Amino acid sequence: MSARIYQRPKNAMQSGKALLDQWTLEFTPSEAKKPDPLMGWAGSGDMQQQVILRFPTSDEAKAYADKYGIEAAIHATPPRRLKIQAYADNFR
């Protein structure tokens, strides 16, 4: 059983920054999704895909994974780069 630990990126469509400081532990899928023969919806028998755990820090998420024997890889959040420009730059 393996998982990944990451921090949610900011949504580009909204300016809010709620829940961005939380770290998420998400299990990697163990089997591929396949279409349901009756409805055609994609699904699988892997119930671990539905489990998403949130932690205040990456250290707590890693400690949880170590405690329960989960192989977890921490994906660091890339630094945000802001392009600072004046409104007048739109008319150059």
Side-chain angles (χ1 to χ4, degrees):
M1 187 166 39
S2 63
R4 66 184 186 124
I5 299 171
Y6 64 94
Q7 199 171 16
R8 288 177 31 174
K10 182 182 165 301
N11 186 355
M13 302 303 290
Q14 297 178 351
S15 61
K17 296 179 183 175
L19 304 177
L20 292 183
D21 56 343
Q22 293 183 350
W23 288 81
T24 304
L25 185 139
E26 190 175 62
F27 293 96
T28 54
S30 62
E31 64 180 58
K33 291 186 177 183
K34 54 187 179 283
D36 181 54
L38 179 63
M39 298 298 290
W41 297 337
S44 70
D46 183 20
M47 302 306 271
Q48 291 291 343
Q49 287 181 343
Q50 300 176 7
V51 177
I52 298 174
L53 302 172
R54 300 198 198 294
F55 297 92
T57 64
S58 63
D59 295 333
E60 290 183 24
K62 184 65 176 165
Y64 178 87
D66 291 341
K67 179 179 178 182
Y68 290 103
I70 301 168
E71 297 175 18
I74 298 177
H75 298 277
T77 306
R80 290 184 49 201
R81 290 175 279 152
L82 297 176
K83 182 180 176 185
I84 306 296
Q85 66 181 28
Y87 178 70
D89 292 341
N90 293 332
F91 304 102
R92 286 189 181 176

